[in-house]
Amino acid sequence: MKKIILLIITLFISTTAVFALQDTKVKKDAYNQMIDSHKRQHEICSAVADNFRYDHQFAGYIRSKCIFYESDRQRLLNSVFVISSNNNTAYKNQYPVLMSEFAIKMNNNEIEAYKLIVNEYCKYNSYKFAKKDPQACSQERIESLFN
């Protein structure tokens, strides 16, 4: 009987340890995906600003928009995903995954906003680049900025 109880306890502890390791991996993967999304958003924003560097006003606007967005994103994540002693255990366990999913959606929405801005800008301002960089508003260049 002692052996059976010892075996059951050992299996329970082993199972719990395996789930804990898997849970840690899921959290770490979610965090890494969020960091990759942050990097992608930043790189795309920098590439867009660099592509339109000959229009100092527009490039400056894009750079300022990027700085503001990254600052705002951090404040928002800290405000929405708060950890306190009053929160339930389920939320605390899913905190990294929930925050990562939200941040990735935010970054994707911001990238879509850059696409909209660039497409509208190019409709009415491609003449500004006719001499210095005639390909700045070409469809191939725009697509390469967002890939």
Side-chain angles (χ1 to χ4, degrees):
M1 186 69 170
K2 282 184 179 180
K3 289 183 180 182
I4 293 175
I5 293 175
L6 185 59
L7 180 63
I8 291 172
I9 291 173
T10 303
L11 287 173
F12 178 74
I13 291 172
S14 299
T15 306
T16 305
V18 167
F19 284 129
L21 288 175
Q22 288 174 341
D23 190 45
T24 302
K25 183 177 177 353
V26 168
K27 290 176 185 177
K28 187 173 183 177
D29 288 346
Y31 178 77
N32 288 336
Q33 289 172 355
M34 181 177 69
I35 296 301
D36 290 344
S37 178
H38 289 348
K39 286 179 186 175
R40 181 173 179 264
Q41 177 272 324
H42 181 78
E43 289 168 357
I44 287 173
C45 194
S46 295
V48 168
D50 188 51
N51 186 60
F52 298 104
R53 65 190 170 278
Y54 296 116
D55 183 345
H56 300 291
Q57 181 180 2
F58 185 66
Y61 166 76
I62 294 294
R63 283 188 186 94
S64 296
K65 181 172 177 52
C66 295
I67 291 169
F68 177 73
Y69 170 74
E70 291 171 7
S71 173
D72 186 54
R73 177 186 62 207
Q74 191 58 47
R75 285 192 322 256
L76 180 61
L77 290 175
N78 290 337
S79 297
V80 172
F81 296 96
V82 178
I83 293 232
S84 69
S85 59
N86 295 335
N87 291 333
N88 62 31
T89 306
Y91 170 74
K92 284 183 183 179
N93 288 337
Q94 290 300 310
Y95 170 82
V97 175
L98 297 171
M99 184 170 68
S100 174
E101 289 174 354
F102 183 76
I104 290 169
K105 285 178 189 174
M106 281 182 54
N107 289 337
N108 290 339
N109 288 341
E110 187 68 8
I111 291 168
E112 288 301 315
Y114 300 150
K115 286 180 187 178
L116 177 65
I117 291 167
V118 166
N119 286 325
E120 289 300 308
Y121 176 81
C122 283
K123 280 182 192 177
Y124 308 111
N125 296 283
S126 59
Y127 69 91
K128 292 181 180 181
F129 300 96
K131 291 183 180 178
K132 293 184 179 180
D133 187 3
Q135 297 299 311
C137 282
S138 70
Q139 194 61 37
E140 297 82 25
R141 175 86 64 87
I142 300 303
E143 287 176 16
S144 73
L145 294 173
F146 296 100
N147 291 328

